[in-house]
Amino acid sequence: MALLTLKTNIKKLSGELSVPGDKSISHRSVMFGSIAHGQTRVTNFLPGDDCLSTISCFRKLGVMIEENENELFINGNGFSGLKESNEILDVGNSGTTIRLLLGILAGRPFFSSLIGDHSIGKRPMTRVTAPLAKMGAVIDGRENGSFTPISIRGGKLSPIQYELPVASAQVKSALILAGLQAEGVSTIIEPAATRDHTERMIRKFGGEIQNENGVITVSGGQRLTAQSIHVPGDISSAAFFLVAGAIIPNSEIVLKNVGLNPTRTGIIEVMRQMGAKIEIISMGDDSFEPVGDIVIKTSNLKGTVIEGELIPKLIDEIPIIALLATQAEGDTLIKDAEELKVKETNRIDTVVNELKKLGASIEATDDGMIIRGKTALTGGTVSSHGDHRIGMMLSIAALLCENEVSLDEPEAISVSYPNFFSHLDSLI
Ligand code: SPQ
């Protein structure tokens, strides 16, 4: 696609939005619908490219999935309803799809072959392939099973006792999904709390899983039953408008039905810490996944330090938080965020290099970045580098720029937010 000219020099944002369904929960609704017994109905499903890759993989594994706009009907027949595919399973750009799918396939007594795009080919897979091999799956891939293409022959699994070397919801979830198929009780220990959508899904589908201070236990052989799932709005998508509302003058934005799972709300904590006028005006009482409406108004911001156990609760929001910090008085320091280096791009480098092009004062460190505020942003040609979150962050940054801004590879945004630009336009 050609360069996209972004809107600049915006003096006000106002209005109300319902951001699309949560990406992490949409993936898991397809996966759990496929391994449960009966027909699962999913509403407010995110039709982003990543979640469509998950649907395509499960169809290739023999699951009947009907799509009707943002509604899905998934006809599951338990783990044993999955069948060997005569095609390669292509996960596209989606780390969640490949890592969780490997956990499911580890217990299936057949051969599968998985690939993804150029970015997936650079993302580390040993973090899931090594513990799944320990449980009994036969896995191979490029560089000794470290990278795609990956092949897996699943089968009988032993339970695992495993301390996660990194705080990763994807690794935790892959091991839980394999643990559901193992003979006995698996124990997975998290170094810091990560998003718990997989655990909530198991309970929703009638299964059991315990978490005592980060020690997660799950038994194999549980029978899961089909459910009706309503996917809440994605807080990681809402984050772009939370920041836009705080940094554009004269703004007030209401974001409706946003998922407020406490393992995902780090951005709200940080924005409050920085002085943002952010308010949760109503909370639903859904025990599956908490949901609420958020109001954000133009705010005077100050720099802060973001580190430690807060990082997994806002890992995907760091690019947009970096932009927020360019508009705060004083320095913002982001630490303990090495995991950013193994996302769709090296998000430390892409955030720092692209924001610098727009005039920000920002420096990379080994495990994060330092942002010196407050700086006026100017303009220029920037690139998403094929990373949806970088593309959206730069589109919000452009709103503040005085000169023209062009975005290369804007199409990446459809990975998680296909109607991002029409939503942005509705607020201008
Ligand atoms: O699915 P993918 O490509 O890994 O997507 C990202 C994103 O920005 O959308 C990360 F690049 O989100 C991950 C997130 O960073 C989604 C996720 C999940 O649904 O379990 C967990 C996080 O990854 P990890 O590696 O920390 O477990």
Side-chain angles (χ1 to χ4, degrees), residues 23-24 28 96 123 168-170 316 343-344 347 389:
K23 177 160 80 70
S24 294
R28 286 159 172 83
T96 308
R123 295 181 69 182
S168 161
Q170 292 177 358
D316 296 339
K343 299 296 181 185
E344 284 82 331
R347 286 183 178 160
R389 302 209 188 276

Side-chain angles (χ1 to χ4, degrees), residues 22-25 27-28 50 93-97 99-100 120 123 127 167-173 194-195 197-198 236 264 312 315-316 339 342-344 347 387-389 415-416:
D22 186 275
K23 177 160 80 70
S24 294
I25 299 173
H27 281 303
R28 286 159 172 83
D50 271 11
N93 188 246
S94 177
T96 308
T97 308
R99 295 199 177 112
L100 274 61
I120 279 291
R123 295 181 69 182
R127 51 179 63 196
S168 161
Q170 292 177 358
V171 180
K172 170 179 72 174
S173 299
T194 63
R195 64 192 70 191
H197 307 301
T198 301
S236 297
R264 296 282 299 281
I315 187 76
D316 296 339
E339 275 295 298
V342 291
K343 299 296 181 185
E344 284 82 331
R347 286 183 178 160
D387 184 334
H388 54 130
R389 302 209 188 276
V415 154
S416 63

